Amino acid sequence: MRQKVHADLTPYTFNQFVDFLFARAVQAESANRRDSWYFNTEVGFDPRRICGYYVQLFRNSAFLMDRYSRAQLEQGFSAMNGSLSCSVRELIWSRELPFIDRAECVRSMVYLCRDVFQHDAIGFTASMWWDGFCFDWECGNRRRSRGGEDLAMQDVLFGALSEVVLIDSTICRGSALHGLEHLHHPETLVLIDGLIRSHPELAQELTEYADGIRGRDPLWMRVAGPG
């Protein structure tokens, strides 16, 4: 286990924050992901400022491909989608932020998919990107039937994924479908049926995918009733 590192991001500019995530020596692969730097870094930060930085980054992310190596990108994106206290995954559920700001952060990730993942999957980053945000509904930590933010954030994620799945990219489509499979939004099959009608060349792939969804039961449904 690595020693804990403390970082105060409060005074960081946008570029300093981006470097904090990506401008790092690439760590050797380890069987224990908890050896990664972001598992062992404690961060002080202004949630609203960092959320704004994420939106700025996602909306204008193409520069990342020139500034950092693919290995650095993979490591930095893992931090964003991991247990780091200022990660995107943590921020979108932060009650310190207005919901409208968190929703905008999710929607801005559509541009990340269009400008980066469409051109390079960056290892497993693209394929697993939406998994980290949607799996809470798969395992039952979040349930639409509870209403509130469980329902509202599910709708925001569904809206973003509905755009990503339309990007003319096998990488982006696969990433979005993976997220949709875990999100369990009630309009998922309607979305896929519409996509099949508008893109008949994808009919076989998407029909098999839709049939797979119809035949699945969420993990949490096997251990507890709905609601």
Side-chain angles (χ1 to χ4, degrees):
M1 179 69 69
R2 295 177 50 168
Q3 186 175 2
K4 286 287 185 182
V5 175
H6 300 268
D8 181 11
L9 307 188
T10 307
Y12 276 30
T13 65
F14 170 74
N15 284 321
Q16 288 174 320
F17 176 64
V18 174
D19 278 344
F20 169 78
L21 294 171
F22 294 107
R24 295 178 176 273
V26 177
Q27 297 176 223
E29 290 189 12
S30 170
N32 184 2
R33 291 190 65 202
R34 292 188 178 275
D35 290 336
S36 300
W37 70 265
Y38 47 87
F39 274 102
N40 299 287
T41 300
E42 296 178 350
V43 181
F45 64 100
D46 175 350
R48 192 154 199 172
R49 174 178 290 184
I50 295 301
C51 186
Y53 284 168
Y54 278 127
V55 172
Q56 182 179 347
L57 175 62
F58 294 149
R59 285 185 171 274
N60 300 277
S61 54
F63 75 92
L64 294 173
M65 307 291 287
D66 296 323
R67 184 177 296 184
Y68 307 103
S69 70
R70 291 179 79 254
Q72 286 178 313
L73 291 174
E74 188 169 4
Q75 190 170 257
F77 282 125
S78 293
M80 279 191 211
N81 209 337
S83 63
L84 192 67
S85 60
C86 64
S87 71
V88 184
R89 196 170 69 184
E90 294 293 327
L91 278 183
I92 67 170
W93 293 109
S94 173
R95 293 303 181 101
E96 295 183 57
L97 287 168
F99 185 82
I100 191 171
D101 291 350
R102 292 180 274 142
E104 178 59 22
C105 186
V106 171
R107 285 191 286 265
S108 69
M109 292 191 283
V110 175
Y111 298 91
L112 173 68
C113 294
R114 184 197 67 186
D115 296 338
V116 175
F117 296 155
Q118 178 177 195
H119 307 291
D120 193 328
I122 311 177
F124 292 106
T125 302
S127 63
M128 297 300 294
W129 181 255
W130 295 101
D131 180 283
F133 304 107
C134 298
F135 199 76
D136 276 345
W137 283 271
E138 171 79 17
C139 65
N141 291 336
R142 305 281 176 185
R143 300 188 189 183
R144 187 177 185 84
S145 59
R146 291 178 181 153
E149 290 197 357
D150 282 20
L151 184 154
M153 187 58 76
Q154 188 186 41
D155 283 348
V156 170
L157 283 161
F158 181 76
L161 290 167
S162 298
E163 294 186 52
V164 176
V165 79
L166 293 175
I167 296 173
D168 187 15
S169 160
T170 301
I171 294 172
C172 291
R173 186 167 63 250
S175 174
L177 290 172
H178 189 182
L180 287 166
E181 185 175 8
H182 292 317
L183 187 62
H184 296 287
H185 192 278
E187 297 298 317
T188 298
L189 293 177
V190 174
L191 172 66
I192 294 174
D193 287 343
L195 190 58
I196 290 171
R197 287 194 298 272
S198 59
H199 296 272
E201 72 278 7
L202 302 177
Q204 181 175 353
E205 172 192 346
L206 293 177
T207 299
E208 291 175 356
Y209 176 81
D211 288 345
I213 289 180
R214 291 186 182 97
R216 292 182 67 241
D217 59 324
L219 177 64
W220 60 269
M221 288 287 287
R222 300 173 205 157
V223 295

